[in-house]
Amino acid sequence: MGHKYKKHHKAEKKNISENDKKILYLLNIQLQSIMIYLTADVFFYNFALILLESACGNKSDYKPNENVFLVNGCVLALIASILISHVSFTAYENIHFRDLNGEIDYSTNPEESIAISSLYLILLFFINLIGAIELYKRVNICTIKVTPQWIMVLKIQLQAYKIRFLGDYSFLIATLESFELINSKYDNSKSNGKSNIQNPDIPALIGACLYLVERIMLLYVSYQVYSHLVNECGDVIDSKYLEPNKLAILGNIIGVIANSVSLQSFIEIYKRNVDRPIFGRWKIKLYCYRSVKIKFDFLLLIIK
């Protein structure tokens, strides 16, 4: 009886600290928000694909309204952005509290910048949602002339949503690796530091880069669409007809700013963690380099 008790006692894991419990709670919310983002990506991709197929003259018996996909995608992205903002601000409050208590000796400015940029992303998708609803309600009074330049713009839009999906996928990997990083602290088989624990900062940094690239591409697309409408239909439409396109340009400018701030913050966090012997990362420097190369090759393969 005593032998069984000792065996069971040895198999027990260490008690999870209160701080790590908070981190796991936030990671669970973040994981849910990323799944919502990935679902939104499907709607965005279908929206861009229908537009491109229509412009290329692909006809079918049933042609869905592409703006329905756009509205659904914006609703889901807005919900996910609100959840991510909650995670960002809560994480910043936790680390700021630890900073005030003298538990950490590094700057918390990157976490603060990420939290602030999350508010801009909420504003971005709110503006996009308003524009998408206006597009859905708008009656087409102008036939856009399909030119090679117009086809190119629609193809860029489609590629942008592919890159967005890859960005969300990268953050999904980062979140799962973050779970592993926390859980490994309480796994006796990994606590000795001999196992290869992946650095979640790497896919997070890749995702931040992809988000910025995607938003710059969409800014270009929104400006080209607006210019095309003005040039092709300027004589038959009033300014209210162009409001959704103006909102798209405004939203994408906000998105470029927000994603630029986030990328800079992730770079600072990555440098900070590489320079400091944080648990689970001091023995994987070479592994992290190989991980970046493999993941970038994988992303380029998909885009092509």
Side-chain angles (χ1 to χ4, degrees):
M1 197 71 176
H3 175 71
K4 289 183 179 180
Y5 171 78
K6 289 180 180 180
K7 186 177 180 180
H8 176 72
H9 182 68
K10 289 181 180 180
E12 285 183 353
K13 288 188 175 182
K14 305 173 186 176
N15 292 327
I16 300 178
S17 67
E18 289 300 320
N19 182 59
D20 285 342
K21 285 181 180 179
K22 293 177 182 178
I23 294 176
L24 290 173
Y25 165 75
L26 293 177
L27 285 175
N28 274 298
I29 298 178
Q30 181 168 290
L31 181 61
Q32 294 174 30
S33 66
I34 293 173
M35 299 309 295
I36 297 174
Y37 270 134
L38 288 170
T39 305
D41 293 342
V42 175
F43 284 104
F44 288 136
Y45 183 83
N46 279 311
F47 161 76
L49 183 62
I50 293 172
L51 281 179
L52 180 60
E53 289 179 345
S54 299
C56 292
N58 294 341
K59 297 181 180 180
S60 60
D61 296 334
Y62 173 70
K63 178 184 175 298
N65 186 341
E66 67 276 4
N67 294 319
V68 173
F69 291 98
L70 182 61
V71 171
N72 289 333
C74 288
V75 170
L76 291 173
L78 179 59
I79 294 172
S81 298
I82 293 172
L83 292 174
I84 285 292
S85 183
H86 166 70
V87 170
S88 300
F89 272 97
T90 305
Y92 170 67
E93 289 175 0
N94 291 340
I95 197 171
H96 183 63
F97 179 76
R98 294 177 62 199
D99 184 29
L100 293 177
N101 290 338
E103 298 179 23
I104 57 177
D105 59 348
Y106 51 83
S107 173
T108 60
N109 289 336
E111 286 80 6
E112 182 181 12
S113 297
I114 290 174
I116 294 174
S117 66
S118 69
L119 295 178
Y120 285 98
L121 291 178
I122 292 176
L123 179 60
L124 157 67
F125 287 113
F126 180 73
I127 291 174
N128 283 350
L129 178 59
I130 294 175
I133 293 173
E134 290 299 320
L135 280 175
Y136 176 75
K137 296 190 298 185
R138 189 174 69 182
V139 178
N140 291 328
I141 60 176
C142 171
T143 302
I144 297 177
K145 183 180 179 181
V146 177
T147 62
Q149 182 184 4
W150 178 247
I151 296 296
M152 182 195 70
V153 169
L154 294 180
K155 286 183 178 180
I156 291 175
Q157 179 175 246
L158 189 66
Q159 291 299 319
Y161 288 130
K162 286 183 181 180
I163 292 175
R164 175 182 173 78
F165 176 84
L166 294 175
D168 288 331
Y169 177 74
S170 296
F171 269 105
L172 175 63
I173 294 175
T175 302
L176 295 176
E177 290 180 357
S178 297
F179 275 111
E180 177 65 21
L181 184 63
I182 297 298
N183 291 329
S184 64
K185 294 168 62 175
Y186 305 96
D187 190 336
N188 293 328
S189 64
K190 298 179 181 180
S191 60
N192 55 9
K194 294 182 179 180
S195 59
N196 284 328
I197 301 171
Q198 300 188 42
N199 184 354
D201 291 345
I202 299 296
L205 188 58
I206 293 175
C209 291
L210 293 174
Y211 281 147
L212 181 58
V213 171
E214 171 248 355
R215 193 52 58 182
I216 292 174
M217 292 173 68
L218 290 180
L219 176 59
Y220 170 80
V221 168
S222 60
Y223 177 76
Q224 290 298 323
V225 170
Y226 177 79
S227 300
H228 203 75
L229 282 173
V230 171
N231 294 333
E232 293 289 333
C233 312
D235 298 333
V236 297
I237 59 177
D238 56 22
S239 59
K240 291 182 178 179
Y241 189 86
L242 298 173
E243 283 302 319
N245 305 96
K246 292 179 181 178
L247 288 173
I249 295 174
L250 174 61
N252 286 320
I253 291 174
I254 294 173
V256 169
I257 295 172
N259 287 317
S260 298
V261 172
S262 295
L263 176 57
Q264 181 60 37
S265 299
F266 276 114
I267 291 174
E268 292 178 13
I269 291 174
Y270 173 71
K271 288 181 178 179
R272 183 180 70 195
N273 289 342
V274 168
D275 293 338
R276 296 173 182 271
I278 292 179
F279 173 81
R281 294 173 182 163
W282 62 86
K283 284 198 172 185
I284 56 172
K285 216 166 186 180
L286 176 62
Y287 176 81
C288 289
Y289 170 76
R290 294 180 62 240
S291 176
V292 172
K293 185 177 185 305
I294 292 171
K295 282 169 184 167
F296 267 122
D297 289 345
F298 171 70
L299 296 177
L300 290 173
L301 179 63
I302 293 180
I303 293 174
K304 287 179 181 179

